[in-house]
Amino acid sequence: MVNLSEARTLSAKIRMNEDIDTKSNKIGQSDFIKAHKDQMLRHGILISSAMTPMLEDCILSVCDNLYIPRECVTAFVYNSPETQADCAIESEDSCVLRFSSELVKLLSDVELMYVAGHELGHFMFGHKAKSLGEHLTSEDYLVKRAGELSADRLGYLACGKIESALRAILKIASGLDDNHIRFDVT
């Protein structure tokens, strides 16, 4: 069994108080996760040192910075014009990350590390995605926002540079690259 205790200790220290820890959120729906991973194996590219060495280096660095064993994370890139990333929790010890090709092209390596760290935050905190059409209360939205802020904090720890984290957020929000945005975080 993989030991994630150091990673969980780190995550607990930076978790927002309003990001409610519910044990029912820890593991995703197994049929959905299997289909999700199967689709990526058929239609995406597995991030590995053999096929995508620069992306693999980013994932390795993020895992090292967050004390997450690399074998806990399966990561893919899939072809899409959208700037998207997500994390599906397979079990308490493993997750599947997906990055759209447009997102990978838009971000620098350090910015991508922020996004990977953010997505791994959802894994570490056991965040469960709400289904489309599921009714959310005002409290649910507050908890969801706190969960995103907790994941943002882990993203920052993953990349280690506040400017890169902010640049990633602005690029994802706008879809614009360095040529079209003037970054002045001061």
Side-chain angles (χ1 to χ4, degrees):
M1 183 161 165
V2 177
N3 186 352
L4 286 168
S5 62
E6 243 184 307
R8 289 194 172 104
T9 300
L10 173 69
S11 299
K13 288 179 183 178
I14 60 130
R15 183 181 206 137
M16 298 285 295
N17 291 333
E18 298 83 1
D19 182 7
I20 299 169
D21 184 10
T22 58
K23 299 301 177 198
S24 63
N25 286 347
K26 292 295 180 192
I27 300 175
Q29 303 161 330
S30 63
D31 288 342
F32 169 76
I33 303 303
K34 287 177 187 172
H36 182 75
K37 192 172 183 178
D38 181 60
Q39 181 174 351
M40 283 297 95
L41 288 167
R42 287 186 283 124
H43 301 290
I45 294 175
L46 180 68
I47 294 177
S48 67
S49 58
M51 186 66 98
T52 54
M54 291 186 337
L55 297 177
E56 176 64 15
D57 288 346
C58 287
I59 299 295
L60 277 171
S61 293
V62 168
C63 288
D64 286 346
N65 292 346
L66 300 180
Y67 305 110
I68 298 172
R70 177 62 176 96
E71 62 268 17
C72 295
V73 180
T74 305
F76 296 94
V77 175
Y78 65 98
N79 186 18
S80 175
E82 296 182 1
T83 54
Q84 296 292 321
D86 61 52
C87 176
I89 301 171
E90 286 188 296
S91 71
E92 287 190 14
D93 298 331
S94 65
C95 67
V96 177
L97 298 181
R98 294 186 327 147
F99 304 98
S100 69
S101 56
E102 185 64 25
L103 180 75
V104 172
K105 290 188 283 188
L106 181 66
L107 303 178
S108 72
D109 290 350
V110 179
E111 294 162 355
L112 187 61
M113 288 173 61
Y114 164 80
V115 173
H118 173 98
E119 294 305 328
L120 285 172
H122 293 304
F123 167 56
M124 295 310 303
F125 298 125
H127 294 154
K128 180 180 171 188
K130 297 285 184 187
S131 303
L132 288 177
E134 186 175 347
H135 177 69
L136 296 175
T137 65
S138 296
E139 183 179 342
D140 290 333
Y141 282 111
L142 291 174
V143 170
K144 187 173 177 63
R145 182 68 193 136
E148 289 300 320
L149 291 171
S150 293
D152 285 343
R153 288 175 169 188
L154 221 54
Y156 166 66
L157 288 178
C159 77
K161 297 181 179 180
I162 192 69
E163 184 174 321
S164 295
L166 294 172
R167 289 170 75 91
I169 292 168
L170 287 172
K171 285 180 175 183
I172 292 167
S174 68
L176 298 174
D177 63 18
D178 290 323
N179 296 322
H180 297 92
I181 297 179
R182 180 177 162 262
F183 292 100
D184 184 1
V185 295
T186 59

